[in-house]
């Protein structure tokens, strides 16, 4: 899988699976993120050991990481996390975009790419967990064909103890 995309800001990016040599560029992308972004990520991505662990344990049968590259920078990272046993027909999607590349079609394109791959793998459902108050993100997933399945009150808690409702969406 490899694709070239021209975004609405006319920048051209390549979308492709990650490879081990991307490790430092992915780490650099997360270093450009602000603290508000970090609050909502499931892993401590500003920690170099976290990113190194991802790349030392790459197993495409467990997690399929797709990146977006613009010039010599990684500007987007999406992952499809495959479930097992009684949930083996599902996968969870996660996405992170550099601030400069939000709102220009990159996220939608990357999510569509993972949905296409999920279909090719005969998965029945793709799940997205979205902070409920991130209305634009909920709306974006709806536009991509996801439906809202439930809202979980106080499902996500930050390191500081602030709690957020989470919307579970499925494609």
């Amino acid at each position: 899988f490899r694709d070239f995309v021209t975004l609405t800001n006319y920048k051209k990016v390549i979308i492709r699976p990650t490879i081990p040599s991307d490790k430092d560029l992915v780490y650099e992308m997360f270093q450009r993120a602000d603290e508000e972004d970090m609050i909502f990520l499931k892993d401590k991505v500003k920690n170099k050991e976290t990113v190194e662990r991802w790349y030392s344990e790459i197993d495409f049968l467990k997690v399929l990481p797709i990146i977006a590259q613009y010039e010599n920078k990684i500007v987007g990272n999406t992952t499809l996390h495959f479930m097992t046993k009684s949930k083996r027909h599902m996968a969870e999607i996660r996405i992170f975009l550099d601030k400069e590349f939000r709102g220009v079609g990159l996220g939608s394109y990357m999510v569509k790419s993972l949905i296409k791959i999920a279909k090719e793998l005969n998965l029945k459902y793709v799940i997205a967990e979205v902070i409920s108050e991130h209305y634009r993100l909920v709306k974006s997933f709806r536009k991509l064909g996801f439906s809202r399945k439930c809202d979980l009150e106080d499902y996500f808690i930050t390191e500081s103890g602030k709690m957020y409702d989470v919307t579970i969406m499925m494609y």
Side-chain angles (χ1 to χ4, degrees):
F1 171 80
R2 187 180 196 91
D3 208 353
F4 296 89
V5 181
T6 302
L7 305 174
T8 60
N9 62 2
Y10 303 105
K11 292 182 179 179
K12 293 182 182 188
V13 298
I14 183 169
I15 312 290
R16 62 174 174 77
T18 196
I19 55 176
S21 61
D22 292 328
K23 175 180 66 177
D24 291 333
L25 293 175
V26 169
Y27 176 71
E28 287 172 18
M29 175 188 67
F30 287 121
Q31 297 312 298
R32 294 189 298 271
D34 62 28
E35 287 309 309
E36 185 179 339
D37 287 334
M38 295 299 98
I39 291 171
F40 300 109
L41 296 179
K42 292 187 177 189
D43 293 314
K44 294 183 179 190
V45 294
K46 287 205 178 222
N47 182 330
K48 189 154 184 122
E49 290 76 30
T50 298
V51 177
E52 286 178 352
R53 180 178 40 83
W54 291 347
Y55 280 86
S56 69
E57 300 172 358
I58 289 180
D59 182 348
F60 291 120
L61 298 176
K62 291 181 180 179
V63 178
L64 177 61
I66 302 288
I67 56 101
Q69 184 174 347
Y70 173 70
E71 296 177 344
N72 292 323
K73 294 190 323 188
I74 302 296
V75 296
N77 184 61
T78 54
T79 51
L80 199 57
H81 296 256
F82 302 108
M83 298 183 184
T84 60
K85 300 183 182 183
S86 63
K87 294 182 181 180
R88 66 187 177 276
H89 61 301
M90 297 186 248
E92 179 186 355
I93 193 169
R94 297 182 192 169
I95 184 166
F96 181 83
L97 301 176
D98 229 331
K99 275 207 190 296
E100 177 186 348
F101 285 82
R102 296 177 191 173
V104 294
L106 179 59
S108 295
Y109 189 85
M110 293 183 84
V111 170
K112 286 178 189 175
S113 297
L114 286 182
I115 289 169
K116 182 179 176 187
I117 291 168
K119 286 179 179 180
E120 290 172 3
L121 295 172
N122 295 315
L123 295 176
K124 291 277 278 174
Y125 300 105
V126 177
I127 300 165
E129 293 183 7
V130 183
I131 300 297
S132 299
E133 67 184 52
H134 292 169
Y135 307 111
R136 288 180 51 199
L137 194 52
V138 171
K139 185 176 179 181
S140 294
F141 273 105
R142 275 200 172 144
K143 282 184 178 179
L144 293 169
F146 284 75
S147 60
R148 184 182 215 137
K149 293 301 179 184
C150 69
D151 291 308
L152 303 171
E153 193 173 307
D154 296 336
Y155 188 74
F156 184 91
I157 188 169
T158 65
E159 285 190 19
S160 68
K162 185 171 182 185
M163 297 170 86
Y164 292 89
D165 296 350
V166 171
T167 299
I168 304 295
M169 304 186 77
M170 294 179 82
Y171 181 94

